[in-house]
Amino acid sequence: MMKRLCYIGIATKCSLSSGFITTQTKTTHRLLFQTSRMMVAKSNNNLVTIPDAITAHKQNSKHIKFIDGSWHMPVGDNPRNGRAEFISGPRIPGAFYYDIDDIAPAMGSDDNPKKLPHMKPSSKMFASAMDQMGILPSDTLFVYATNDCAFYHRAYWTLRSCGHDPALVKLVQGSLDEWKECGGELEEGQLGEEDERLFRMSDLGWEEKTPTYQVMSDNEDVVVVDMDQVLDIVNQKDSDAADAVIVDARSAGRFVGTAPEPRPGLRGGHMPGALNVPFTDLLDADDKTKFRPMDEVRDIFIKAGVSPDASSRKVVCSCGSGVTAAALAIGLEECGLRNKEDITIFDGSWIEWGSSDSTPIVTD
């Protein structure tokens, strides 16, 4: 399968750079746990600076779309809400909002009987959402977040994992404050209820329609694993020889069970054999909408126990509910430790594992 790649160069802060360079490559879809033939993974060029994103936005191309992927943990007395902040503004002009809670199988449905939050949507649901946003398979997508949002990686990961060409999905590094400082346009004001960008999947009747958007692949099991697959990894006697290594994005305290889980009813601790890489360690301490330099990200993973040999084991990323695991998946790929096809997310993550009475948990 031939795919077009669209790259944007790196620029210094508020220094606008040139446009796109187009090339082609072949991508082979491999199933989970298949042995990789590559000794060294290739780092990507999917993280883009604010100046580069502004350059793309100023092209006013119908094939360049901006998507707000902001999401926040729904805990505390007054939690932030990504959808509400998109409605109230500011936002990048013409942007849509990708709601990871809405573009997901409904809790209690046949596709989500355990009532788990923001699970990966089916190909049909994803394609229907793309149709609603007017996105074509050939469009380049720029995923951004509102100020101080550390959780927009799941939207980016979903777009790349559900059928849009991964090379055409870019993750904007930087805040809306930086966007404004660098001369980027912002759309202010409250959106009206009738605005087409505020759709809900439950209102579209998508189940009875045939979407026009064509996903790249119908193989829906490559990018996520379920609890049975994770149990198989955990139950292998020699963890060093297991088919994959599990990397947990939760804080060190939650990992060892000394800090409480933010969701009630979950046991503390971690899966036997899992490694701990708190996702916040990968992010810029001064701006959560940016990763740290990729050489630092690579070192963090290696020090945690992830082998630098890309022909080594696959990596299963886990977290609280499947959101911050996406930051690990992106970091692993972008720093060159693993190829995209060698990384999966345990979609149910700790909310599924920790709520079960039968799953093994350790605290050391």
Side-chain angles (χ1 to χ4, degrees):
M1 180 186 297
M2 299 299 291
K3 300 199 301 181
R4 189 181 61 161
L5 299 183
C6 195
Y7 295 102
I8 295 183
I10 300 299
T12 57
K13 184 175 180 179
C14 296
S15 172
L16 299 183
S17 64
S18 58
F20 300 102
I21 300 173
T22 303
T23 186
Q24 288 186 325
T25 188
K26 282 186 177 181
T27 296
T28 302
H29 294 283
R30 288 178 290 172
L31 295 177
L32 180 68
F33 308 148
Q34 178 181 345
T35 301
S36 172
R37 297 178 180 178
M38 299 184 66
M39 298 298 291
V40 179
K42 295 180 180 179
S43 57
N44 284 304
N45 194 22
N46 287 337
L47 307 185
V48 299
T49 64
I50 289 289
D52 282 332
I54 292 173
T55 297
H57 190 258
K58 287 184 175 180
Q59 292 183 25
N60 291 319
S61 170
K62 65 180 182 179
H63 293 299
I64 295 176
K65 307 286 172 57
F66 278 73
I67 296 176
D68 184 340
S70 304
W71 183 88
H72 299 277
M73 282 283 289
V75 295
D77 294 333
N78 188 28
R80 293 177 63 183
N81 182 286
R83 187 183 186 96
E85 290 182 3
F86 179 79
I87 293 172
S88 62
R91 66 196 74 82
I92 293 176
F96 273 84
Y97 179 67
Y98 192 97
D99 192 333
I100 64 171
D101 287 320
D102 186 63
I103 309 173
M107 293 186 182
S109 66
D110 291 341
D111 292 331
N112 188 11
K114 292 186 178 180
K115 301 181 180 180
L116 300 170
H118 36 252
M119 299 288 281
K120 177 180 172 290
S122 67
S123 292
K124 184 175 181 178
M125 175 182 257
F126 178 79
S128 299
M130 296 299 99
D131 283 345
Q132 186 65 23
M133 289 188 276
I135 293 174
L136 301 176
S138 58
D139 290 344
T140 300
L141 311 180
F142 287 79
V143 182
Y144 73 94
T146 49
N147 294 332
D148 203 35
C149 176
F151 304 101
Y152 72 129
H153 309 96
R154 175 73 188 202
Y156 166 84
W157 175 88
T158 304
L159 288 163
R160 297 182 77 231
S161 300
C162 285
H164 203 79
D165 186 339
L168 297 181
V169 188
K170 308 297 179 181
L171 188 67
V172 180
Q173 297 291 280
S175 66
L176 286 184
D177 282 346
E178 185 179 342
W179 176 276
K180 186 175 182 179
E181 290 171 6
C182 292
E185 267 189 276
L186 284 176
E187 179 182 293
E188 306 280 353
Q190 184 93 0
L191 293 179
E193 293 182 2
E194 72 286 351
D195 195 294
E196 63 179 359
R197 292 176 283 182
L198 304 182
F199 67 91
R200 294 280 190 182
M201 294 303 297
S202 58
D203 297 331
L204 301 182
W206 62 272
E207 299 93 337
E208 310 302 324
K209 300 176 182 178
T210 300
T212 58
Y213 179 96
Q214 296 293 313
V215 299
M216 284 191 61
S217 172
D218 287 328
N219 193 340
E220 298 184 12
D221 298 324
V222 173
V223 296
V224 294
V225 291
D226 59 25
M227 191 149 75
D228 288 338
Q229 290 171 295
V230 177
L231 274 168
D232 285 343
I233 298 169
V234 169
N235 289 333
Q236 292 181 34
K237 293 181 179 179
D238 185 356
S239 60
D240 290 335
D243 293 326
V245 60
I246 301 164
V247 184
D248 193 323
R250 293 175 301 148
S251 69
R254 291 170 65 189
F255 185 78
V256 297
T258 58
E261 287 295 316
R263 299 173 180 88
L266 301 183
R267 294 182 291 161
H270 60 272
M271 305 162 201
L275 306 176
N276 186 213
V277 178
F279 84 101
T280 51
D281 289 356
L282 307 182
L283 305 182
D284 187 317
D286 297 321
D287 187 348
K288 295 176 184 176
T289 60
K290 293 180 180 179
F291 276 98
R292 295 172 67 169
M294 280 300 138
D295 58 341
E296 296 181 14
V297 169
R298 182 182 177 88
D299 287 344
I300 290 169
F301 278 117
I302 292 174
K303 288 178 181 177
V306 178
S307 172
D309 183 356
S311 67
S312 184
R313 295 177 291 169
K314 308 280 186 175
V315 177
V316 174
C317 301
S318 184
C319 60
S321 65
V323 174
T324 60
L328 297 190
I330 296 165
L332 283 164
E333 185 182 358
E334 289 292 333
C335 79
L337 272 180
R338 292 294 185 276
N339 295 307
K340 181 178 183 294
E341 58 266 33
D342 297 326
I343 307 164
T344 58
I345 284 180
F346 174 23
D347 220 10
S349 283
W350 198 254
I351 198 170
E352 182 176 12
W353 191 275
S355 62
S356 172
D357 294 330
S358 61
T359 49
I361 290 177
V362 294
T363 57
D364 54 0

